[in-house]
Amino acid sequence: MDGNGRWARERGWIRLKGHEQGSLAVERVANACMDAGVEYLTLYAFSTENWKRPAHEVAGLMLLLERFLSEKVAMMNENGVRLATIGRTHDLPRPARKRLERAIAETSHNTRLILTLALNYGGREEIVDAVRSIAAEVRVGSIEPEAIEAATISSHLYTRGLPDPDLLIRTSGEMRISNFLLWQLSYTEIHVTRKLWPDFGPEDLHAALADYASRERRFGEARENPAPTIIPS
Ligand code: IPE
Ligand code: MG
């Protein structure tokens, strides 16, 4: 969800205004996803690096998260949205953590859309946490080092139970992954749009889905060449 700060700057407003507007885009995009039949939506809301921002911006983002959670649980239940999180959420400020736990519990029966918020999330940190937990299992002898496979790592990531993403949408024109889902994005199609997140709407989602539909996903395999109609002499 990139571009909130630029969206605000273009208007001569403080960055928090952009984050506020960006939080409104979440409901809009979640609804458009459900209309399009998307079953999993994962939003990169706060990275492990975002703590380096000025304290008032971090505090503002945490308050926005709390507000979003307290205001949207009813809407999520009406629409069948189940909330989930990935990241080191135990290190979030207590009020945000408590609200999160409540929203997750109150929406746990929903199945139409799994809305996962990446909070205090970093892809490298996620892999570090997975390696630590696998190492602990090796130490107590419940897993042999030779038995560790790609699936073992997948099942120790925060995303266990979620499919790897089919499509990554990057807003605000940046051409980088920025420590997001490093392991899970191996074969994900990437769509970059110059739209800033607060301006991202259903038409942009449809454009991204159409772009995705035009891709040929080979997963490393070769594509069958069409049979030649003229045999070269
Ligand atoms: C939102 O956009 C990302 C969050 C941390 C919520 P930015 O705040 O990174 O916006 P830009 O990059 O300054 O435009
Ligand atoms: Mg940014």
Side-chain angles (χ1 to χ4, degrees), residues 1-7 15 19 45-46 50 53 57 61:
M1 300 192 286
D2 203 11
N4 294 351
R6 277 161 281 177
W7 186 92
R15 295 177 54 82
H19 294 315
F46 193 84
N50 286 152
R53 295 187 176 199
E57 183 173 345
L61 283 166

Side-chain angles (χ1 to χ4, degrees), residues 2 4-5 15 35 55 68 72 86 101 117-118 121 138 143 163 166 189 205 208:
D2 203 11
N4 294 351
R15 295 177 54 82
D35 290 344
F68 174 85
K72 300 300 176 194
I86 53 173
E101 284 166 10
L117 298 181
Y121 176 87
V138 168
I143 184 166
D166 291 311
E189 297 295 328
L205 179 77

Side-chain angles (χ1 to χ4, degrees), residues 161-183:
L162 292 173
D164 287 343
D166 291 311
L167 173 65
L168 169 73
I169 302 176
R170 175 89 206 210
T171 57
S172 82
E174 306 289 0
M175 295 285 190
R176 54 174 175 266
I177 303 287
S178 299
N179 206 14
F180 189 51
L181 299 177
L182 296 180
W183 174 272

Side-chain angles (χ1 to χ4, degrees), residues 31 34-35 38-40 78-82 110-114:
N31 283 329
M34 284 186 278
D35 290 344
V38 171
E39 291 174 299
Y40 299 90
E78 273 164 39
N79 291 290
V81 179
R82 180 171 141 205
N110 296 327
T111 55
R112 187 163 167 219
L113 177 77
I114 313 294

Side-chain angles (χ1 to χ4, degrees), residues 10-76:
E10 280 175 3
R11 289 157 179 81
W13 295 343
I14 57 162
R15 295 177 54 82
L16 266 176
K17 258 327 232 189
H19 294 315
E20 199 174 87
Q21 204 62 32
S23 77
L24 301 179
V26 172
E27 183 172 354
R28 197 164 69 225
V29 173
N31 283 329
C33 280
M34 284 186 278
D35 290 344
V38 171
E39 291 174 299
Y40 299 90
L41 172 64
T42 302
L43 298 171
Y44 202 177
F46 193 84
S47 75
T48 46
E49 288 77 28
N50 286 152
W51 298 108
K52 294 182 212 150
R53 295 187 176 199
H56 64 87
E57 183 173 345
V58 171
L61 283 166
M62 293 301 153
L63 278 176
L64 262 179
L65 172 65
E66 285 178 50
R67 192 161 87 192
F68 174 85
L69 294 169
S70 57
E71 285 176 1
K72 300 300 176 194
V73 166
M75 180 279 290
M76 289 191 236

